[in-house]
């Protein structure tokens, strides 16, 4: 298993990444009247044309995948810490880690597939 | 309640437990004749001498130096000898053993788990020049600024109040706890020490500082004004910097060599001859 100081460093790095990418999300979704960025069709940021335009951008594909990975790692590492504080036995700790890794990977694959399919759809179109 | 308003008799409410005789603790109430300047430890002595000689606690120096009399007094970990009844301001003083430790009897906690963690972190100067360590030929040079890096952490008296106040220690027995981690940082920040790599084996694992939530209770309750919360955060920074290859590696302090060829200024007298044979 990876040493705790490495996991903790990545946890902090993921937190910083989430801060930046969520900042971008907030700017797009809630400051559209002021900034109007990444909403090429105008109107509301969650109008279909705007969502499709963002999904078709390589920048957003990378951003979505990074945000998904960072959020999953940050959240599941935190959950692991909480569960470890219940003082389970060593084999149970190992099981908890593996279950969380598998769930996290599963969710990452599903989310990554959704982002990739949207992007691919753009290429096909 | 100020000292003047305290009644002549204070009630001590004490948690009693004799593990060999009973499974569950009981609470006993004992009247104590109050006098100004009286500490909680003085009250316990009075109970033992006049009311119940079976009451057990651990104490030694009576002046906040030895760290023996850590207790849970009125809901906070404190030293019994260092806590005046007047400063508590209540006519009922509740005393229990330190939380987060097994209990040997009454107010006597078993501090072995804390010292096991302490020992695992090699809390002493580690150097490669073992010959010099065994047969010292001089003093290792250390500047005042270098000493400042660890000085406050060296005031720790290992009373266990910080461990008793730590919410992580309450549930996670594998966590080293604030005392042991602070002492590890104390030696890691000492320029005479070269044992960072040795301690890193433990610190980078599950027993290291990573479980700390920075609740800060350890720093609040420390009777010596040590700041274990700060030590743990500094240690995290040091270990992360080391992982990223950014840790500053200062050379280990060497023997302070007396400069040669320097003339004494006029008017400054020579040191007197030693009065005893070396």
């Amino acid at each position: 298993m990876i040493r705790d100081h490495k996991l903790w460093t990545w946890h902090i790095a993921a937190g910083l990444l989430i801060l930046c990418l969520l900042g971008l999300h907030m700017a797009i979704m809630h400051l559209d009247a002021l900034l109007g960025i990444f909403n090429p069709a105008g109107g509301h940021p969650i109008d279909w044309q705007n969502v499709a335009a963002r999904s078709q951008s390589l920048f957003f594909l990378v951003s979505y995948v990074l945000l998904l990975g960072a959020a999953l790692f940050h959240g599941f590492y935190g959950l692991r810490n909480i569960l470890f504080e219940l003082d389970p036995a060593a084999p149970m700790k190992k099981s908890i880690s593996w279950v969380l890794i598998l769930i996290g990977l599963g969710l990452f694959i599903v989310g990554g597939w959704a982002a990739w399919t949207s992007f691919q759809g753009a290429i096909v179109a | 309640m100020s000292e003047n308003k305290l009644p002549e008799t204070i009630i001590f409410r004490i948690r009693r437990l004799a593990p060999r005789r009973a499974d569950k603790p009981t609470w006993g109430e004992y009247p104590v004749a109050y006098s100004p300047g009286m500490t909680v430890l003085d009250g316990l002595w009075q109970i033992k001498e006049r009311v119940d000689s079976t009451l057990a606690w651990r104490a030694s120096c009576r002046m906040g130096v030895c760290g023996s009399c850590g207790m849970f007094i009125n809901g906070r970990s404190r030293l019994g000898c260092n806590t005046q009844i007047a400063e508590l301001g209540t006519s009922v003083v509740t005393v229990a053993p330190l939380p987060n430790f097994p209990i040997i009897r009454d107010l006597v906690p078993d501090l072995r788990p804390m010292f096991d963690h302490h020992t695992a972190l090699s809390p002493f100067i580690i150097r490669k020049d073992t010959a010099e360590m065994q047969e010292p030929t001089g003093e290792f040079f250390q500047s005042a600024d270098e000493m400042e890096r660890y000085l406050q952490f060296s005031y720790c008296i290992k009373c266990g109040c910080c461990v008793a106040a730590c919410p992580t220690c309450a549930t996670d027995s594998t966590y080293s706890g604030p005392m042991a981690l602070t002492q590890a940082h104390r030696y890691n920040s000492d320029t005479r020490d070269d044992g960072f790599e040795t301690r890193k084996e433990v610190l980078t694992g599950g027993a290291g500082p990573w479980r700390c939530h920075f609740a800060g209770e350890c720093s609040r309750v420390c009777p010596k004004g040590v700041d274990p919360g700060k030590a743990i955060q500094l240690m995290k920074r040091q270990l992360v910097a080391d992982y990223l290859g950014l840790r500053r590696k200062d050379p280990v302090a060497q023997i302070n060599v007396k400069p040669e060829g320097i003339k004494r200024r006029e008017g400054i007298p020579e040191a007197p001859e030693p009065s005893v044979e070396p």
Side-chain angles (χ1 to χ4, degrees):
Chain A
M1 213 30 103
I2 303 167
R3 304 288 287 174
D4 281 61
H5 72 301
K6 294 179 183 173
L7 292 173
W8 192 83
T9 307
W10 297 344
H11 180 66
I12 298 300
L16 289 172
L17 190 62
I18 291 169
L19 196 70
C20 296
L21 294 175
L22 273 188
L24 179 65
H25 169 80
M26 299 297 271
I28 294 168
M29 292 296 156
H30 305 292
L31 297 177
D32 60 302
L34 279 173
L35 303 173
I37 50 171
F38 302 117
N39 291 318
H44 200 273
I46 57 169
D47 285 349
W48 168 249
Q49 289 83 354
N50 288 325
V51 174
R54 285 196 295 270
S55 302
Q56 290 159 13
S57 143
L58 181 65
F59 170 74
F60 274 94
L61 171 70
V62 175
S63 301
Y64 290 153
V65 172
L66 279 178
L67 180 60
L68 178 67
L72 283 171
F73 178 77
H74 195 82
F76 277 106
Y77 178 77
L79 180 61
R80 177 179 174 267
N81 273 355
I82 293 168
L83 294 173
F84 275 22
E85 280 183 16
L86 301 174
D87 213 7
M92 180 59 92
K93 279 185 177 175
K94 213 168 184 179
S95 307
I96 289 171
S97 297
W98 277 112
V99 167
L100 293 178
I101 287 170
L102 291 175
I103 295 174
L105 276 176
L107 290 172
F108 182 75
I109 289 167
V110 171
W113 173 80
W116 177 248
T117 312
S118 310
F119 182 69
Q120 283 283 80
I123 293 170
V124 172
Chain B
M1 197 182 287
S2 71
E3 187 164 317
N4 296 333
K5 288 179 185 170
L6 281 173
E8 289 181 359
T9 304
I10 299 284
I11 300 298
F12 268 54
R13 196 166 169 269
I14 300 175
R15 206 172 91 141
R16 307 290 307 268
L17 178 67
R20 286 184 190 170
R21 292 184 197 160
D23 293 334
K24 289 185 178 174
T26 55
W27 288 90
E29 293 197 353
Y30 306 90
V32 168
Y34 172 72
S35 59
M38 195 173 186
T39 65
V40 172
L41 190 63
D42 292 335
L44 292 174
W45 276 115
Q46 198 183 110
I47 294 166
K48 193 167 181 77
E49 286 167 359
R50 299 181 194 174
V51 186
D52 187 346
S53 61
T54 65
L55 181 63
W57 72 90
R58 192 189 282 128
S60 184
C61 74
R62 299 174 292 112
M63 55 183 78
V65 173
C66 73
S68 300
C69 61
M71 298 169 192
F72 199 58
I73 302 166
N74 278 13
R76 183 173 166 173
S77 310
R78 311 169 201 246
L79 294 180
C81 68
N82 219 15
T83 307
Q84 294 220 352
I85 293 170
E87 82 179 70
L88 296 172
T90 53
S91 57
V92 177
V93 176
T94 307
V95 190
L98 286 178
N100 302 343
F101 290 102
I103 299 166
I104 295 173
R105 184 179 165 135
D106 294 341
L107 304 176
V108 185
D110 185 354
L111 300 176
R112 277 179 298 185
M114 178 178 80
F115 285 114
D116 287 344
H117 285 301
H118 188 224
T119 309
L121 284 164
S122 309
F124 42 81
I125 296 281
I126 300 171
R127 290 177 67 94
K128 291 188 175 73
D129 49 356
T130 43
E132 178 62 33
M133 293 295 281
Q134 296 297 327
E135 299 288 337
T137 58
E139 295 169 349
F140 297 119
F141 176 76
Q142 189 168 66
S143 70
D145 284 344
E146 288 168 343
M147 192 179 71
E148 280 289 323
R149 289 186 207 161
Y150 70 85
L151 184 63
Q152 72 141 315
F153 306 125
S154 68
Y155 293 145
C156 173
I157 55 173
K158 286 87 183 170
C159 60
C161 286
C162 56
V163 175
C166 172
T168 309
C169 290
T171 58
D172 191 349
S173 60
T174 59
Y175 176 56
S176 292
M179 189 285 275
L181 291 174
T182 302
Q183 290 315 295
H185 184 69
R186 176 250 174 274
Y187 285 99
N188 279 347
S189 356
D190 192 325
T191 51
R192 297 166 298 177
D193 180 81
D194 195 17
F196 180 81
E197 294 298 326
T198 308
R199 292 183 201 100
K200 203 172 88 173
E201 290 299 310
V202 179
L203 294 173
T204 54
W210 320 107
R211 296 279 112 77
C212 171
H213 303 300
F214 205 10
E217 274 300 290
C218 50
S219 304
R220 197 173 72 94
V221 301
C222 178
K224 302 303 285 184
V226 178
D227 191 346
K230 181 181 178 184
I232 292 170
Q233 304 319 307
L234 289 173
M235 174 184 278
K236 279 181 180 173
R237 187 171 73 177
Q238 198 178 39
L239 289 163
V240 168
D242 183 70
Y243 171 49
L244 299 174
L246 302 172
R247 186 171 73 90
R248 204 178 69 181
K249 290 172 186 164
D250 292 327
V252 182
Q254 297 301 315
I255 299 286
N256 194 15
V257 182
K258 211 173 178 181
E260 290 176 6
I262 293 177
K263 287 183 180 172
R264 183 174 292 274
R265 233 186 263 167
E266 280 182 30
I268 298 177
E270 289 285 341
E273 288 298 314
S275 57
V276 289
E277 288 294 321

